[in-house]
Structure formats: C-alpha cells, structure tokens
Amino acid sequence: MMGTPAAPTFTRSALAPGLLGAIVLLAGLALLDGESFIIIRYAVSILALIICVFVIQARSWYWLVGLVPMAVLWNPVVIIDLSGQGWVSAQFIGAIIFIVVGLRTKVPVRKD
C-alpha cells in the first residue's frame, strides 16, 4: 500500500548556483586574457555570495572558508590582477568548490 509521502526536511538550494558557477568558471578559461573576463568575474562573485547565504542558512559555516575567498578573488570592483598557471588552477579549484558545496549543503525547510 502506498501512503502519503513525507514532507522533505531539507532542500539543496545551493546545488543550482553551484553547478552554474562551475560551468561559468570552466567556460571562463577561454576568456582568461580577454576583456570579456569581467563577465566571468561578476558571475562567479555573485554566485559565490548567493551560495554563502545558503551555507549560512544551513549552518555549515566551514564552507565559507572556500566561498569568501572566491567572492574576493573574482571581485569585479576591486580587481586583483592574477595571471599564469596559478590563475588557471584557481579556476579549476573554484569549480570543484562550487560543485562540492552545492552537493553537500542541505538547507532546512521552514514550517510556516
């Protein structure tokens, strides 16, 4: 017999912005030395801050260690000029951080 399904106790709200951020970072590898990399900076910084909100709601403070530096390094307002292999590696590490945080963050559902 099938019963009524139980209401979920959490959501994975950070998953969509995490996957989108990883895609943006990997696509940004093609634009690293171009003027249009500023678009990648905006997208990554904003998505990192959005995920920070979900991490705070989930009370998973330790993920802020990876997300806050991402929001600062890819900040389009005060640009930190990085280049070379280290910056390419940062793009890959940032994509991994986005995916892992998106998968692991469980935001509790509020009962109104």
Side-chain angles (χ1 to χ4, degrees), residues 20-37:
L20 183 60
I23 292 169
V24 168
L25 280 170
L26 294 177
L29 289 170
L31 304 172
L32 270 178
D33 295 327
E35 290 291 320
S36 46
F37 188 70

Side-chain angles (χ1 to χ4, degrees), residues 66-88:
L67 291 170
V68 171
M70 287 178 64
V72 171
L73 284 176
W74 277 271
N75 180 2
V77 177
V78 180
I79 295 177
I80 299 172
D81 192 24
L82 299 173
S83 60
Q85 194 62 32
W87 190 236
V88 172

Side-chain angles (χ1 to χ4, degrees), residues 44-63:
V44 170
S45 184
I46 290 169
L47 288 169
L49 292 173
I50 289 171
I51 296 175
C52 283
V53 171
F54 292 132
V55 163
I56 291 169
Q57 288 176 349
R59 299 190 197 302
S60 299
W61 312 107
Y62 47 88
W63 290 120

